[in-house]
Amino acid sequence: MTDPVPHRPDPSSPDLSSKDPNWWRQAVVYQIYPRSFADADGDGLGDLKGVTRRLNHLAALGVDALWLSPFYPSELADGGYDVADYRDVDPRLGTLDDFEVMAAEAHRLGLKVIVDLVPNHTSHQHAWFQEALAAGPGSPARDRYVFRDGRGAHGELPPTDWQSVFGGSAWQRVPDGQWYLHLFAPQQPDLDWANEEVRADFRTTLRFWSDRGVDGFRVDVAHALAKDLSEPLRDLGAPELSAEDALPGFPPGTHPFYDRDEVHEIYRDWRKILDAYRPPRMAVAEAWVPGARRALYARPDELGQAFNFEYLQADWDADALREVITDSLATARTAGASATWVLSNHDVVRHASRLMLPPGTDSNAWLLSGGHAPAIDETAGLRRARAATLLMLALPGSSYVYQGEELGLPEVADLPVEVLQDPIWEQTGRVRKGRDGCRVPLPWTTTGPSYGFGAAGAWLPQPESFARYAVEAQDGAEGSTLEFYRTALRLRRKLQEGESLTWADDSPPGVVDFARHDGWRCVTNMSGAAVPLPPGDVLLSSAPLADGGALLGPDTTVWLA
């Protein structure tokens, strides 16, 4: 495959990415996890030049935008979500010039660019945190973070019973005896958003990337910034539970550090900055909160859109999905936003595998078994994944696609423990396997030391089966998952209009059936038996139709005119 010649940014060229200020309401956004997308320099780690060289793949796929997971300087204690400098590029991934070349090439191809913003915590290598350690207790430098004295006769106990999402206490002691808060890894100290210096610095960061042509921001852990740090700090009363598990025990907006009402003033402040650009920059919240609370983050005067994780977490069940879709559309309407839909991302088991797990399966136990308990039929998993994708792409709103799902990649559940890099593995005492299995580098070619990912090996080992999933193997191949995605996205661009749907009144049990504008229709069979195909011209089917086209088989979605 020939790599395109990168284009240098031209300040006089039009911004092709932003003709429609509301492009994000119905967009298909492709998430790139940079370490695992493409490696241009052969060091085994994906980089920005690798992204630039493969942008034609995204343009040919037919997506509207790319979302880059963190590419900032980081020791990779949490896959890049431990940021040491918010306004630079990790030297292993490139330079600011490389970013600008990448953004310019994306815009030349008609692709918008969204970047990840991680405002809840920095890396412990961040200059501010290093200054805080040196400055000592009571210093203004420590006020940017959440430092507290410990409990016990000698301060030897953590200040509270708060638990890290990654396992263990959310407090880490430093040599002078104080403790700092980290809701995630110890290498990710939480910022104190009551500190005006913190707020001002992130305003600068928003402008820094917006000035470089970024079209929007994905806000990591958007619900955790505001915290009740008034003394005495409150225990959660359930130290065996993670902070997220304990959230339902508090009335809305009152948890000590999740989804507090005060967080919204931060985003109203941000929206003033984002709206000062022409066109305004978009933003989407990663907020793990119930639908009614999620709507607050998506209001027009805040971030404008929020991820819908209820859809990702729903079982492959017609009744459950109808309820989630109905509620999600209502939530979006309440906020004045469009709905969002996602099946896979860098934090969850890939849906080609996950959707095949029986309801109630402990996904961590499945990962610890190497994907053998229960075993998953990859062919059946791919069939169901394609059906789920075609259903998702028919829904009104924005669809977020994770790199590699267009190839049908399954989860790599059998990674040996000695190669695992997710901090969850060690921080939980090797009890939770973590997220490495969905982050294995992409296969671009059918041969080579890393299947075209780079000139040498990859930072996580790829299974031999990746050869048959490679872009090279599927490009132009009739019936391949890659060509299926290309066709679906091309059709979607023509069909997608409006932000509503109408449920069919007469759908059989186990079938999701709805109509969109102008009468085009999406029907998904989640039952175990074939059902009669409704009348209409078949535009696209996720799998061959049964009985000469008269029946819709199990785990199949069809679009009808």
Side-chain angles (χ1 to χ4, degrees):
M1 301 176 69
T2 303
D3 292 332
V5 177
H7 285 65
R8 295 291 302 179
D10 179 1
S12 65
S13 65
D15 184 357
L16 298 179
S17 74
S18 304
K19 292 183 178 179
D20 177 8
N22 293 316
W23 61 267
W24 51 271
R25 295 188 70 95
Q26 299 284 337
V28 176
V29 180
Y30 185 100
Q31 181 190 358
I32 290 177
Y33 189 71
R35 295 172 69 198
S36 299
F37 188 67
D39 170 22
D41 61 12
D43 66 353
L45 198 66
D47 46 45
L48 291 182
K49 286 184 177 179
V51 173
T52 304
R53 291 180 180 182
R54 297 296 186 182
L55 286 176
N56 279 341
H57 172 72
L58 273 62
L61 190 61
V63 301
D64 300 293
L66 60 98
W67 150 31
L68 279 174
S69 289
F71 50 86
Y72 313 110
S74 169
E75 68 174 337
L76 303 177
D78 182 23
Y81 284 87
D82 47 315
V83 180
D85 186 341
Y86 290 91
R87 298 190 285 274
D88 204 352
V89 174
D90 191 305
R92 291 165 293 184
L93 273 65
T95 65
L96 278 172
D97 282 347
D98 293 333
F99 178 87
E100 292 184 354
V101 169
M102 183 277 300
E105 178 65 4
H107 288 161
R108 187 187 72 82
L109 293 170
L111 298 165
K112 292 80 172 173
V113 178
I114 299 169
V115 299
D116 230 311
L117 193 62
V118 188
N120 179 68
H121 46 262
T122 71
S123 165
H124 67 155
Q125 295 183 337
H126 192 285
W128 275 4
F129 193 73
Q130 291 300 308
E131 181 185 354
L133 292 179
S139 64
R142 288 207 174 178
D143 288 343
R144 300 176 184 134
Y145 294 90
V146 184
F147 278 88
R148 290 293 184 274
D149 293 329
R151 296 186 292 193
H154 306 287
E156 71 278 10
L157 299 176
T160 69
D161 64 1
W162 299 352
Q163 298 290 290
S164 163
V165 174
F166 289 169
S169 174
W171 296 95
Q172 182 76 17
R173 202 175 192 191
V174 299
D176 59 38
Q178 278 203 312
W179 299 72
Y180 67 85
L181 179 67
H182 61 90
L183 292 183
F184 294 87
Q187 298 90 342
Q188 295 169 293
D190 279 45
L191 290 163
D192 184 351
W193 274 83
N195 186 300
E196 178 53 36
E197 195 174 357
V198 171
R199 297 189 180 212
D201 195 69
F202 274 88
R203 294 185 195 108
T204 300
T205 296
L206 288 171
R207 294 186 180 101
F208 180 89
W209 293 109
S210 296
D211 289 345
R212 278 157 179 78
V214 161
D215 301 281
F217 299 88
R218 178 263 189 187
V219 183
D220 184 65
V221 198
H223 57 304
L225 275 57
K227 298 175 174 69
D228 178 7
L229 299 174
S230 56
E231 298 291 347
L233 297 180
R234 291 183 283 164
D235 280 341
L236 292 176
E240 73 280 2
L241 297 176
S242 74
E244 288 179 328
D245 291 333
L247 183 58
F250 291 82
T254 67
H255 189 278
F257 47 84
Y258 271 155
D259 191 36
R260 293 190 61 79
D261 290 335
E262 306 95 277
V263 76
H264 299 289
E265 68 182 70
I266 297 170
Y267 299 130
R268 284 191 287 272
D269 180 51
W270 286 15
R271 178 45 59 190
K272 295 173 185 175
I273 295 171
L274 300 177
D275 281 352
Y277 288 86
R278 291 292 177 269
R281 279 22 180 177
M282 64 81 70
V284 57
E286 182 207 26
W288 289 86
V289 297
R293 297 291 297 181
R294 187 175 67 243
L296 304 179
Y297 296 82
R299 290 178 292 193
D301 66 339
E302 294 193 32
L303 295 177
Q305 196 173 61
F307 282 132
N308 167 18
F309 294 114
E310 285 94 337
Y311 186 74
L312 182 151
Q313 294 172 320
D315 291 330
W316 186 245
D317 175 84
D319 292 337
L321 279 171
R322 267 195 298 267
E323 182 177 353
V324 166
I325 292 167
T326 299
D327 290 349
S328 299
L329 290 172
T331 296
R333 281 194 297 271
T334 298
S338 60
T340 63
W341 314 102
V342 60
L343 288 166
S344 286
N345 63 34
H346 65 292
D347 282 333
V348 300
V349 172
R350 285 187 176 274
H351 70 275
S353 300
R354 188 186 71 251
L355 291 176
M356 293 301 295
L357 296 175
T361 299
D362 182 336
S363 61
N364 180 60
W366 178 75
L367 289 170
L368 289 172
S369 78
H372 300 302
I376 287 178
D377 181 331
E378 280 194 16
T379 300
L382 180 56
R383 180 184 179 104
R384 185 168 289 184
R386 287 167 55 129
T389 292
L390 200 56
L391 167 60
M392 178 183 75
L393 293 176
L395 294 169
S398 298
S399 293
Y400 286 78
V401 174
Y402 180 50
Q403 65 177 42
E405 69 173 80
E406 78 279 15
L407 306 179
L409 290 184
E411 182 81 358
V412 183
D414 59 352
L415 286 171
V417 296
E418 60 268 20
V419 306
L420 299 181
Q421 299 198 23
D422 191 333
I424 289 176
W425 174 242
E426 294 293 346
Q427 200 164 324
T428 59
R430 301 192 170 192
V431 171
R432 288 167 55 195
K433 197 169 184 181
R435 302 158 294 178
D436 290 310
C438 66
R439 301 176 178 183
V440 175
L442 296 191
W444 294 92
T445 61
T446 57
T447 59
S450 59
Y451 300 106
F453 169 69
W459 67 278
L460 281 174
Q462 303 151 301
E464 292 182 3
S465 61
F466 265 31
R468 66 174 179 268
Y469 290 102
V471 173
E472 183 181 54
Q474 299 193 47
D475 186 22
E478 184 177 355
S480 73
T481 300
L482 176 57
E483 292 300 337
F484 165 71
Y485 265 75
R486 288 171 175 170
T487 301
L489 291 175
R490 185 170 61 249
L491 276 172
R492 183 186 186 278
R493 193 180 293 271
K494 295 177 181 178
L495 295 169
Q496 188 80 313
E497 187 176 313
E499 296 183 11
S500 62
L501 57 77
T502 303
W503 293 109
D505 295 327
D506 55 352
S507 56
V511 173
V512 171
D513 184 352
F514 58 85
R516 296 294 310 281
H517 62 90
D518 294 337
W520 77 280
R521 188 170 178 179
C522 176
V523 187
T524 302
N525 182 9
M526 300 177 190
S527 74
V531 298
L533 188 70
D537 295 329
V538 174
L539 299 174
L540 182 61
S541 178
S542 64
L545 300 174
D547 193 23
L551 297 177
L552 185 66
D555 291 344
T556 305
T557 297
V558 66
W559 288 359
L560 301 169

